[in-house]
Structure formats: C-alpha cells, structure tokens
C-alpha cells in the first residue's frame, strides 16, 4: 500500500526527471540557420548588361573572356545576374552553339532506260541501258544483277541544272499515272558522278498504290538514310530501279522530285593568350590567371620558313609536376604567298593553368612561340525579372552554382536555336565590388564561446545530484515504513 507521503515523494521524483529531460532537449536541439543569400559585395567584380531588345522575358549573352579569367571557379559557379534592386534573377548556362537547318527542292529530269543486252564477260555480269536521248550506261557486277531482274524498269534521274546537288539528297518522291488496280513494287536508288561507277544508296524500298473502297494507301517516297553522306548524297546522276512484286509490271514513273536538306552546327569559342616567361633552364613557361578547361592549344611562331621541334607539358596549377602533352613540330612555311602553319593540340576540356615548351635540338632565339588556349564558349540565358539595369557579377570563392536547366527556364519553348533569344551585351566597363579578397576562401573565424556545452554539463551534474537526492529521500522513507 502506497501512503500519501510516499506518493508525494514519487511525484516529486517524476517531476524532477521530466524537468531534467526538458532542459536537456532544449539545450541539445540544434539551431536551424539558413545560409545568407549572396549580395553584390560578395563578388569580386561586375559589369552592366546592355539589352538589345525591349520587353523580352529572356535574354542571353556569351560569357566574355575576362569573366572566365577572373572567376573563382573554372565551371563559373560563382557568376550571378542581379536586377537594379540587387535581387538575383533565374539563369541557365549552356554551350554556345547555333543550329541552322537548310532545305531545297530538286526537280529531276527523268529518262526511261531500255535494257539492250546482258552478258557474262570474264566472269563479270554486265548490262547496258540506253535512253531515248542516246545516253548509254554500262552497269557491272552486283548492281547489274539487281537491275537485270524480271519485271524491272530503270530510269536515269538528272537534276534539272545538271549540276551536283547543293545539299545532300534526303528524299525522292515518285509519281505514276492513276492505276486501275492495286500495285506493289520495290525501288532501289544508285548514285554516280561520271555515269560509269555507281554506288548503291538504298535498296528495295516498298512502293504501294492500294485501294479499299474509298480508302487509298499510297507509298511513293524513298527516304535516304542519314548515314549516306558526302559525294554519294550530292551526286550529279541517279539511277532508279523499280521492280514489280510477283513478276507483275511495275508502275511507270512519270516524274521524280527530291528534297535536299542539311543541319549545321556552329559553336562559339573563347580564346585566351598565355603570358610567357623564360625559365632558368631555357624553356618557356606560359601562364593563365586561373585554370581553364581547354579544348585545344594553338601555336604560332613569328619566324617565316622555320621548323621548330618542341616538347610540350602542362599542369593545372602553378606548382606540382609537369605532365606530358607530347612532342610537337611547330612550323611557319610561306611559298607563293600561301602560308602553312602547324596544327593544334587537342585537349578535350583538360584543366590547364600553365604550359611549358622546351626546344628540341633547336632554338626560338628572341621570339618564343605564341600559345593560345581555346575552349567552347557558354551562353548565359536569364529571365528579365525586376527592372533594368541588370548587373553580371563574378568572382566569389564561397559561392555555389545557381543555374537552372534551360528547359526549365524557358518552360517548353523551342530550344534548338538559341539565336532566337534577344542578346544582352556585357559592358567593357568593369566595376569592383567586394574586391580580389572574394576570390579566396573566407578566413577561418575562432569558434564562439561554447556556452551550450558548458550549460549542458552543468545541467547534467545538477540533474545527477537532484536525482541522487530524491533517491536517498525515497530510500529513507521506505526504511522508516518498514520499521
């Protein structure tokens, strides 16, 4: 049986334990403080943007050379765009490329060919084809076998200007007179520039002219595969072979029209001239202000009619071991007013800060080679929130990337041709914001006084003492009642 006094003591014990637990929770719960947003003074430099169109929701700019060379990070994570109130705006970083689609219609003059003779000669199959205008073709080997099949009609297709096609041929549409019944056939296409050597382009493409009641199924296009490129896709002469299915007569082709198309991609680049300095061993060390992921190195020697073998090395910083790029022969040869210079060294986005060139059994005397680093340029596309002027800023070691994917920034707009987005030009006037100190890590600050730690230990010690006191009191009460 629990007496009232004992119950009161146990209630005090319980209350003390709950109080101690509450104090421990309050002391040990971590505080949640958000990282403060970056302001203009958190960056080294900035430059105003000049918009080339009014009231556009989006603009794009090509990241200038000086931004690359003065950024704290080679991936440009420390660049931002602020509006006139100092508020950052959403932006996206993408490769600076422009895609151009070209297309043209091609009218073919069509010459039906009659097969005059097929023969075997020296083990080689040969067939002669002749047009009404006197044009005669001789086809050999496998191509002759495919053209000599039963129920096959052949045609010579010549562009109406009798010139090489301006764009690669991608599609040929054939037409034939209206048919009384259903027709199925297969078409093959060959190309040539001299009417003697023929290359197969595509074989056995189905042609159809089928009717079922009021429904019509018409297949009259020959699609040229994308892997057919170069001269084969821009030939001056084309040979069409049409074979009827089940030994039936093929449709008589009356007209043929082609579509030529081409997609070209052009990329912008940034160029960085390395600063040369002679080393103590006679080699030349070329430096950039910071490390850059370069796609290639270009070299230039000023002396004409000179060949200069060198050993090229690189490193990503200003200290450490040199890594080999290989031996390279630099040259500048001039003859008949034509200048021939050496090729570049491909780097495939290698991070480079310094280059070392050492002459091999030669000397550059007083004119060392010039070294230029080249990398793919980047577009910075931003949403023109807030009000102008907008300020591009860079150079913050403690900044993290704040880019959106371009597909999220433009919300489903056509992204293939970024040239459609109005441009923003970066002013040549650079303003200093937080200064060069922002390019370095923030100095370590001494840790604040650990008052929570000391308070926690004090609470623990006091809690143990209080719990011990209650335990002794409870034990004495129990002994008293037992007596």
């Amino acid at each position: 049986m629990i007496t009232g006094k004992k119950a009161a003591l146990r209630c005090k014990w319980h209350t003390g334990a709950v109080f101690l637990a509450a104090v421990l929770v309050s002391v040990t719960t971590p505080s949640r403080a958000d990282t403060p947003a970056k302001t203009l003074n958190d960056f080294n430099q900035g430059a105003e943007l000049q918009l080339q169109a009014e009231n556009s929701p989006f603009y794009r700019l090509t990241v200038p050379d000086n931004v690359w060379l003065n950024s704290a990070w080679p991936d440009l994570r420390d660049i931002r765009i602020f509006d006139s109130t100092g508020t950052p705006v959403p932006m996206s970083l993408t490769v600076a490329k422009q895609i151009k689609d070209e297309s043209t219609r091609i009218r073919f003059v069509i010459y039906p060919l009659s097969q005059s003779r097929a023969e075997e000669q020296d083990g080689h199959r040969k067939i002669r084809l002749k047009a009404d205008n006197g044009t005669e073709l001789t086809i050999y080997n496998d191509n002759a076998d495919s053209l000599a099949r039963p129920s096959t009609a052949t045609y010579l297709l010549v562009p109406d200007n009798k010139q090489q096609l301006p764009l690669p041929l991608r599609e040929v549409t054939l037409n034939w007179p209206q048919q009384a019944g259903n027709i199925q056939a297969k078409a093959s296409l060959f190309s040539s520039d001299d009417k003697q050597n023929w290359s197969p382009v595509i074989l056995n493409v189905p042609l159809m002219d089928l009717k079922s009641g009021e429904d019509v199924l018409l297949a009259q296009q020959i699609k040229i595969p994308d892997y057919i490129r170069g001269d084969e896709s821009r030939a001056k002469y084309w040979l069409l072979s049409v074979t009827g299915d089940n030994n039936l007569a093929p449709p008589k082709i009356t007209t043929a029209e082609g579509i030529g198309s081409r997609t070209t991609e052009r990329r912008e680049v940034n160029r960085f001239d390395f600063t040369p300095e002679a080393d103590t061993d006679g080699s030349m060390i070329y430096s950039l202000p910071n490390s850059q992921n370069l796609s290639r190195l270009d070299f230039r020697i000023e002396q004409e009619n000179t060949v200069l073998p060198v050993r090229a090395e690189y490193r990503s910083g200003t200290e450490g071991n040199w890594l080999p790029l290989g031996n390279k022969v630099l040259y500048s040869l001039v003859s008949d007013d034509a200048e021939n210079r050496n090729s570049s060294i491909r780097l495939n986005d290698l991070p480079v800060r310094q280059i070392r060139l050492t002459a091999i059994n030669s000397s550059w005397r007083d004119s060392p080679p010039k070294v230029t680093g080249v990398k793919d340029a980047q577009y910075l596309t931003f949403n023109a929130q807030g009000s102008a002027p907008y300020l591009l800023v860079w150079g913050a070691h403690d900044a993290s990337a704040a880019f959106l994917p371009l597909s999220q920034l433009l919300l489903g707009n056509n992204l293939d041709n970024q040239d459609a987005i109005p441009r923003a030009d970066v002013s040549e006037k650079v303003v200093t914001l937080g200064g060069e100190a922002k390019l370095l890590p923030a100095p370590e600050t001494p840790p604040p006084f650990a008052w929570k730690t000391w308070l926690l230990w004090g609470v623990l010690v006091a809690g143990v003492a209080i719990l011990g006191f209650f335990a002794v009191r409870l034990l004495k009460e129990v002994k008293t009642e037992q007596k």
Side-chain angles (χ1 to χ4, degrees):
M1 181 177 179
I2 301 177
T3 64
K5 189 175 183 180
K6 186 176 181 181
L9 187 59
R10 287 190 176 183
C11 182
K12 291 180 180 180
W13 171 278
H14 178 72
T15 302
V18 170
F19 172 76
L20 178 61
V23 172
L24 290 176
V25 169
S26 65
V27 173
T28 57
T29 299
S31 62
R32 305 178 68 178
D34 294 333
T35 303
K38 293 294 182 183
T39 64
L40 291 175
N41 288 331
D42 291 322
F43 298 84
N44 175 22
Q45 295 174 321
E48 187 175 319
L49 299 181
Q50 300 166 349
L51 308 183
Q52 298 304 310
E54 294 183 358
N55 301 323
S56 174
F58 300 100
Y59 295 89
R60 70 170 175 86
L61 59 100
T62 302
V63 179
D65 297 349
N66 68 310
V67 174
W68 285 103
L69 294 177
N70 292 283
S71 174
W73 296 95
D75 59 2
L76 298 181
R77 73 185 66 175
D78 58 321
I79 62 176
R80 299 286 191 277
I81 294 178
F82 289 89
D83 66 9
S84 60
T85 65
T87 303
V89 301
M91 58 184 182
S92 177
L93 191 69
T94 55
V95 176
K97 63 181 180 181
Q98 298 175 7
I99 298 176
K100 182 180 180 180
D101 293 322
E102 301 176 88
S103 64
T104 184
R105 287 192 172 275
I106 303 160
R107 192 183 75 86
F108 287 105
V109 179
I110 185 168
Y111 299 95
L113 299 173
S114 59
Q115 180 178 324
S116 61
R117 184 172 73 251
E119 61 183 23
E120 291 277 353
Q121 182 176 348
D122 300 328
H124 296 293
R125 182 76 167 170
K126 180 170 66 175
I127 184 173
R128 284 194 177 96
L129 304 170
K130 187 175 182 179
D132 292 340
N133 66 349
T135 300
E136 187 171 303
L137 308 177
T138 302
I139 312 296
Y140 298 91
N141 299 333
D142 293 340
N143 294 340
D145 291 336
S146 62
L147 295 174
R149 292 177 296 186
S151 306
T152 297
T154 54
Y155 303 85
L156 177 64
L157 308 182
V158 182
D160 57 359
N161 59 2
K162 299 182 180 180
Q163 300 294 323
Q164 189 180 46
L165 299 182
L167 297 175
L169 186 64
R170 287 290 160 246
E171 180 181 307
V172 177
T173 300
L174 305 176
N175 294 292
W176 51 80
Q178 187 175 0
Q179 305 295 311
N182 292 333
I183 289 180
Q184 295 189 71
K186 289 184 173 60
S188 298
L189 203 58
F190 306 81
S191 66
S192 173
D193 280 327
D194 55 11
K195 294 189 292 188
Q196 294 182 6
N197 301 294
W198 294 89
S199 300
V201 174
I202 188 168
L203 303 176
N204 300 322
V205 177
L207 300 179
M208 297 181 186
D209 190 349
L210 306 178
K211 302 176 181 65
S212 177
E214 297 296 328
D215 296 326
V216 177
L217 176 60
L218 187 63
Q220 57 186 143
Q221 283 84 22
I222 300 176
K223 301 287 187 179
I224 310 299
D226 289 338
Y227 60 79
I228 303 297
R229 299 183 181 277
D231 293 339
E232 291 184 5
S233 62
R234 300 177 59 231
K236 293 171 61 176
Y237 304 102
W238 297 81
L239 189 64
L240 172 66
S241 166
V242 182
T243 302
D245 286 358
N246 302 320
N247 293 326
L248 297 177
K252 182 181 178 180
I253 306 301
T254 54
T255 62
E257 187 179 62
I259 295 178
S261 64
R262 176 174 55 200
T263 299
T264 57
E265 178 182 297
R266 185 177 68 86
R267 294 198 177 195
E268 298 182 25
V269 297
N270 292 96
R271 299 179 181 274
F272 310 109
D273 291 333
F274 283 77
T275 302
E277 183 179 356
D279 201 5
T280 55
D281 61 358
S283 61
M284 293 296 299
I285 295 180
Y286 300 81
S287 302
L288 291 176
N290 54 13
S291 178
Q292 295 293 331
N293 295 329
L294 301 179
S295 58
R296 74 173 190 264
L297 289 175
D298 289 343
F299 302 91
R300 182 183 180 91
I301 53 178
E302 299 300 332
Q303 304 93 327
E304 294 183 353
N305 296 323
T306 300
V307 175
L308 181 63
V310 298
R311 181 173 65 251
E313 301 165 292
Y314 84 97
R315 60 187 179 188
S316 299
T318 56
E319 298 179 352
N321 297 329
W322 293 95
L323 303 176
L325 289 174
N327 297 339
K328 185 74 175 176
V329 178
L330 310 182
Y331 56 86
S332 174
L333 304 178
V334 179
S335 60
D336 299 329
D337 296 329
E339 187 177 24
N340 188 14
R341 296 185 179 273
N342 56 282
S343 59
S344 307
I345 294 181
R346 295 289 174 182
L347 298 181
N348 298 320
D349 293 331
L350 201 64
V352 176
R353 175 81 182 268
Q354 288 186 325
I355 298 292
R356 182 168 70 175
L357 295 183
T358 305
I360 303 176
N361 298 323
S362 59
S363 173
W364 42 66
R365 298 178 177 85
D366 296 330
S367 299
K370 179 180 178 181
V371 180
T372 302
V374 181
K375 71 183 303 177
D376 289 335
Q378 298 285 314
Y379 283 152
L380 191 62
T381 305
F382 67 96
N383 178 216
Q385 296 182 8
S387 58
Y390 296 93
L391 191 70
L392 173 68
V393 299
W394 61 87
H397 186 278
D398 297 329
S400 57
F403 305 118
L404 290 174
L406 188 62
S407 58
Q408 294 183 13
L409 182 70
L410 298 186
L411 300 178
N413 288 17
N414 187 355
L415 308 179
D416 290 336
N417 192 358
Q418 299 182 57
D419 204 27
I421 303 175
R423 293 191 64 92
D425 295 330
V426 183
S427 172
E428 295 183 357
K429 182 180 179 181
V430 176
V431 296
T432 300
L433 301 173
E436 294 184 358
K438 300 301 180 180
L439 297 172
L440 303 174
E444 295 185 3
T445 57
F449 178 70
W451 62 270
K452 285 191 176 183
T453 302
W454 288 104
L455 178 60
L456 176 61
W457 279 106
V459 170
L460 289 174
V461 172
V464 170
I466 293 172
L467 292 177
F469 172 76
F470 283 123
V472 172
R473 288 286 303 272
L474 182 60
L475 182 60
K476 289 181 177 180
E477 292 289 339
V478 171
K479 288 182 177 180
T480 304
E481 291 182 359
Q482 289 178 348
K483 294 180 179 180

